[in-house]
């Protein structure tokens, strides 16, 4: 690993190749002017800037975005911010896992340059009154089940885009509708940012990695596996020639019904661009599931091409 910390003399560092029991941590900054100064220095060195927005409680899915940014950009800013405005009043904002020290240790080996973890009060000042409202792709599915969620997401992502001014920003397909919302935001507001959507990272048994998986008991985790199975069943059916969206949806529901502790919130087999219902699978479609396993809400999806 290169000694990127040279010049950041205020922060002690170790070099993993010198002593494998130590790992190199990225630089943690909490203030906007500090992160902007670091980004300006990287820009002066001619580096492109990659942004990976996260809410922390990092896992291999997040790290895959950081690695991709590292491959494609000279300087990667990972943000860790549990954004209060995207949680509904009855959602898990208060108990959402916050694991900053572990996150920094996990980011070390990826070579993330800077971690920006602002305080909530610095992101949303006491007079904050501006929000991004989106129609269209923000309305169905997640938008309907979680009123205000995409308003919060679009607002914080626009703010992060303005704070960091990245050339590229990295998001996961795991939150597929969110990626469409971000693409729409960038197109509609003429933001000079390339949105990169990276594949969903899964456990070997097919469970999509999620910060919320830590909530699952062993029995709940077993039920949660039905989500991945249902998506694989959908892919098999389309691959073997099934073109009726309703038949694919029904087969997915049948798989989900085998998990006694799982309650489906929505199951969609829809146009992958518009998220609108389709009868015939004659283009790329999105198969998406939101389900509660006990009190934990999980989402997952796959794209199906005829
Ligand atoms: P979050 O911390 O949940 O807001 O997620 C931050 C980013 O990581 C989002 O762009 C997510 O889509 C992405 N992400 C979350 N889980 C995964 C996963 N299993 N594989 C790939 N990306 C993911």
């Amino acid at each position: 690993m290169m000694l990127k910390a040279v010049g950041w003399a205020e922060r002690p560092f170790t070099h993993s190749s010198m002593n494998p029991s130590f790992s190199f941590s990225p630089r943690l900054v909490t203030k906007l002017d500090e992160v902007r100064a670091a980004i300006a220095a990287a820009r002066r060195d001619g580096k492109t800037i990659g942004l990976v927005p996260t809410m922390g409680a990092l896992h291999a899915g997040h790290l895959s975005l950081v690695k991709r940014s590292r491959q494609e950009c000279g300087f990667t800013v990972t943000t860790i911010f549990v954004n209060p405005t995207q949680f509904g009043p009855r959602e898990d904002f208060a108990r959402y896992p916050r694991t900053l020290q572990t996150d920094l240790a996990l980011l070390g080996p990826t070579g993330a340059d800077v971690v920006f973890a602002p305080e909530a009060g610095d992101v949303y000042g006491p007079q904050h009154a501006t929000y991004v409202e989106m129609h269209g792709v923000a309305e169905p599915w997640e938008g309907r089940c979680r009123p205000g969620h995409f308003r919060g997401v679009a607002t914080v992502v626009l703010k992060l885009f303005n704070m960091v001014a990245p050339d590229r920003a990295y998001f996961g397909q795991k939150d597929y509708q969110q990626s469409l919302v971000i693409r729409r935001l960038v197109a509609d507001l003429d933001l000079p940012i390339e949105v990169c959507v990276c594949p969903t990272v899964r456990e070997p048994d097919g469970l999509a990695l999620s910060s919320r998986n830590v909530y699952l008991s062993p029995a709940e985790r077993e039920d949660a596996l039905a989500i991945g199975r249902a998506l694989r069943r959908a892919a098999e059916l389309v691959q073997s020639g099934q073109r009726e969206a309703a038949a694919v949806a029904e087969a997915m529901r049948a798989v989900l019904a085998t998990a006694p502790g799982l309650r489906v919130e929505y199951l969609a087999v829809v146009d992958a661009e518009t998220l609108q219902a389709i009868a015939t699978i004659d283009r790329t479609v999105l198969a998406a599931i939101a389900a509660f396993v006990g009190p934990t809400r999980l989402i997952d999806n796959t794209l199906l091409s005829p």
Side-chain angles (χ1 to χ4, degrees):
M1 181 181 295
M2 278 169 54
L3 279 178
K4 286 200 156 282
V6 171
W8 302 124
E10 72 277 23
R11 190 182 53 77
F13 64 87
T14 53
H15 187 260
S16 53
S17 66
M18 292 176 199
N19 184 341
S21 67
F22 288 96
S23 75
F24 179 92
S25 285
R27 183 184 181 215
L28 172 66
V29 301
T30 58
K31 296 295 175 195
L32 179 56
D33 54 359
E34 251 188 306
V35 77
R36 281 197 166 138
I39 293 162
R43 282 235 180 264
R44 278 195 298 277
D45 291 343
K47 292 177 177 168
T48 55
I49 310 299
L51 170 66
V52 182
T54 82
M55 297 203 298
L58 301 183
H59 50 62
H62 299 111
L63 299 182
S64 75
L65 309 185
V66 177
K67 284 179 196 150
R68 173 92 173 266
S69 175
R70 288 274 299 158
Q71 283 162 11
E72 297 179 355
C73 305
F75 192 81
T76 293
V77 180
T78 304
T79 63
I80 295 181
F81 180 61
V82 184
N83 174 35
T85 65
Q86 70 187 69
F87 288 79
R90 281 184 299 278
E91 294 184 356
D92 56 344
F93 174 70
R95 72 173 188 134
Y96 196 84
R98 288 159 172 88
T99 58
L100 185 60
Q101 290 313 318
T102 315
D103 292 347
L104 293 173
L106 285 171
L107 284 167
T110 68
D113 296 284
V114 159
V115 174
F116 179 44
E119 298 287 334
D122 288 339
V123 177
Y124 297 105
Q127 307 297 326
H128 186 95
T130 307
Y131 294 89
V132 177
E133 291 285 353
M134 191 181 292
H135 300 284
V137 290
E139 286 174 334
W141 313 115
E142 288 298 290
R144 195 153 300 140
C145 295
R146 303 184 67 188
H149 172 65
F150 284 131
R151 177 187 195 250
V153 168
T155 300
V156 82
V157 170
L158 180 60
K159 283 171 72 67
L160 293 171
F161 283 174
N162 285 330
M163 292 175 188
V164 172
D167 299 286
R168 298 204 179 107
Y170 295 82
F171 297 88
Q173 191 195 309
K174 160 78 167 41
D175 298 276
Y176 180 84
Q177 189 174 1
Q178 170 175 281
S179 74
L180 289 189
V181 165
I182 308 296
R183 283 192 197 285
R184 192 76 263 140
L185 177 78
V186 163
D188 290 354
L189 300 184
D190 310 300
L191 305 176
I193 297 168
E194 190 183 326
V195 175
C196 308
V197 181
C198 305
T200 301
V201 177
R202 296 174 183 283
E203 302 278 11
D205 58 13
L207 183 68
L209 296 185
S210 163
S211 305
R212 292 187 167 99
N213 290 352
V214 297
Y215 301 150
L216 301 173
S217 70
E220 288 169 343
R221 195 185 178 289
E222 198 56 40
D223 282 334
L225 293 180
I227 298 171
R229 279 203 300 276
L231 295 171
R232 286 201 297 282
R233 180 81 189 115
E236 281 161 17
L237 284 171
V238 172
Q239 217 160 24
S240 59
Q242 178 57 263
R243 294 292 175 264
E244 274 183 51
V248 173
E250 200 183 304
M252 291 169 67
R253 276 191 196 281
V255 175
L256 294 174
T258 63
L262 184 146
R263 180 170 66 78
V264 179
E265 192 174 30
Y266 67 74
L267 185 154
V269 179
V270 294
D271 183 292
E273 292 296 314
T274 64
L275 304 184
Q276 296 303 307
I278 44 144
T280 307
I281 300 175
D282 55 2
R283 69 205 96 162
T284 302
V285 300
L286 172 76
I289 294 167
F292 282 93
V293 183
T296 304
R297 185 175 186 277
L298 300 175
I299 58 170
D300 199 356
N301 68 81
T302 191
L303 290 170
L304 309 169
S305 294

